[in-house]
Amino acid sequence: MPTRVRTPRHKGKVERGVDYVQENALRGHEFETLAAQNEHLTHWERTVADTRIHGTTCKQVRGDFEAIERPAFHSFSITRRSVAAIHSRTVAEINSLSDLR
């Protein structure tokens, strides 16, 4: 059975993290800037979310991550690669594209 549209609380554990952050980290707070909100969330994650005991696994979130998930990570190259090519185009009177190379 599909879930109701735009209702993350009906999507179970997959989207429960959204409610958890909204109810625990953001409720009652107002931020002047996005940077201030990000700083608050970074601190909250480090001191609250990562140190809690997970309700399903009954293990500390950060400890479980460090023991199981982190060793599975592979290092990635820090070389930036272009993911898009930029070209100029114009639409002719007959609605077809032509290159302006």
Side-chain angles (χ1 to χ4, degrees), residues 6-52:
R6 290 186 290 284
T7 54
R9 65 190 163 278
H10 294 157
K11 295 183 183 175
K13 291 179 187 276
V14 173
E15 294 195 21
R16 181 67 184 121
V18 173
D19 283 345
Y20 177 68
V21 172
Q22 288 175 344
E23 292 168 4
N24 292 282
L26 298 175
R27 178 165 284 158
H29 292 278
E30 290 185 21
F31 304 95
E32 294 292 322
T33 64
L34 180 59
Q37 182 179 9
N38 285 337
E39 184 178 323
H40 170 76
L41 287 172
T42 299
H43 175 74
W44 174 83
E45 182 178 22
R46 202 173 41 252
T47 59
V48 177
D50 285 352
T51 61
R52 72 186 173 93

